[in-house]
Each structure stands twice: as structure tokens, then as C-alpha cells.
Amino acid sequence: MYTTINQAYEYIYAKYNKPIDIAIILGSGLGPLADEIENPIIIDYKDIPGFPISTIPGHEGKLYIGKVSGKTVCAMKGRFHYYEGHDMDVVTLPIRVFAKLGIKYLFVTNACGGIREDLNPGQITLISDHIGLFAPSPLRGPNLDEFGPRFKDMSEVYSKELRNIAYHAAKKVDVDLKEGVYCFFKGPMFETPAEIRAFRALGADMCGMSTVPEAIVARHSGMTTLGISLVTNKAAGLSTNQLDHKEVMAAADKAEIDLVKLVKEIIKEM
Ligand code: HPA
């Protein structure tokens, strides 16, 4: 694992060796945020040792490094999902590489299904906490002591301080912001209505197929994380529509202007 991390780290560091403030993972349809990066250095995943190539529409597979709102960011346009068949080591490899690059902050974004009644398509929602019981732990196996301890506290995976900054920023740019508990599902199929009812009872407000492994690894490495979900549909059984990837992408496209505005303002206020 250390060898893979080091090889990817060295490749990226050879392309860009100045400090980077924030790593950003751009979820389904949220890629346009990368277009806001000034004069980016663009690195193709296929050139980074150990990085797989994304196979899903809306996930491009490029790393963008450059300035946003006066800070240096490194944005992943395209992430690796468990449902694609990758091991959790691969899903979370970029996070460990970011930690090794000395990046202190992680913004992780995703498209999700809304479970709580007030979470409708288009709603931008901060992640306050997660339920990841059904995600295999990305920390399983020998502990990577260089990054963090064996038994890491997970009581604040998503930074309270960054959430407060996000609320302040949202007010300033007039974006409606809510927060909720994100529940990880393995995918790639959408959930069944019974699964959604079960997890609603357990305290889940949103559901999705990403984010939790990355956020756990970021926490293990001592990074400070902000999680932002975009609700693209009502979760299974909560509307009469059948769930469909095209619907997810269309909702993401619509909310993207607000999301870009919000993220830029958050970065400015950090
Ligand atoms: N379930 C899981 N993942 C998702 C959903 C959903 O309803 N919408 C967008 N990503």
C-alpha cells in the first residue's frame, strides 16, 4: 500500500510541488466546478500510478490543480466507487495521496437520494454525519501508521467548523442549505423501498454510493472534511418515478450553478 501511495504521490508532486490548501472530490454531474479553477494543471488519471480510469458517464477522470478564490485546490473530476469493483484501498487511494501531499482540507461532494421529507431534488445539503455500517472498512488490514492510529475516533468526520463557514457562505450567496445524515449503500443498483424505509428508521436522511470510504480515510489521516450532497431524486419508494441515472445527472446540472457559487464562497471565507 505504501509503495502505491508513494508512486502516485511522487508523480503528482513532480507535476506540482507547491503547497495545496484543499482537495475537492467532484461527484456525479458536479464536474463543472473544475472549470472554475484558474490556469489549472491537468493530470489524467491514466498517467498516475495506481489510479484506475473511471468508467461512468459524468465522471471524467482528471485531476485539476490551480487557484479558486485565492486558494490552491486540487480537484478530482471523477472518483472511484466500490460498485465499480475496486477494493477500498483503490477507492480511497487519492485521499492518502492528498494527505501525503500535506493537504489539510477535503471537500467531498456527491449526488444523493433524499430520504427525509424536506430533502427534494435540487436541495444542496451538508453532511452532518454518516451511516457506513454496510461499507467494508477502508481501514481494515494493517494500519498505515504514517497516516493515523489503529483505532481512530469518528465522532466528527465532517467538520463542525467548516459547516458553520458553509452556512455563513450560503447566506451570503443566497443558497438554501440544509444538513443531514448520509447513508452509504454499496450499489450499483438503487435501493429498494424497504431498504429506504429501514434506514429512514435508523436515522438516515440521504442515501448514496460514495463519500463514506473517502471521508473515513480523510479522518484517519487527520484531514478536516466538508461533505456536500446534492439531492438529485427522492429515494426509492418515496415518489412515483422510477430511479434513473439520467434523472440524477439532469438534477445535478440544474443545481450546479448554485453549488459552484457556494463552494467558491466557502473557500473564500476559510
Ligand atoms: N440512491 C443511491 N445513490 C444515489 C441516489 C439514490 O437514490 N441518487 C443519486 N445517487
Side-chain angles (χ1 to χ4, degrees), residues 83-95:
Y83 65 71
E84 290 176 85
H86 307 305
D87 284 337
M88 282 302 184
D89 282 352
V90 173
V91 172
T92 58
L93 172 66
I95 311 304

Side-chain angles (χ1 to χ4, degrees), residues 1 11 24 50 58 60 65 73 82 98 109 125 175 200 202-203 205 220 226 246 255 257:
M1 203 45 214
Y11 185 85
I24 308 178
E60 195 180 314
I65 306 176
V73 307
Y82 183 69
F98 296 150
T109 69
T125 312
V175 168
R200 180 166 60 184
L202 292 177
D205 299 315
H220 180 251
L226 180 70
K246 281 201 202 80
I257 296 164

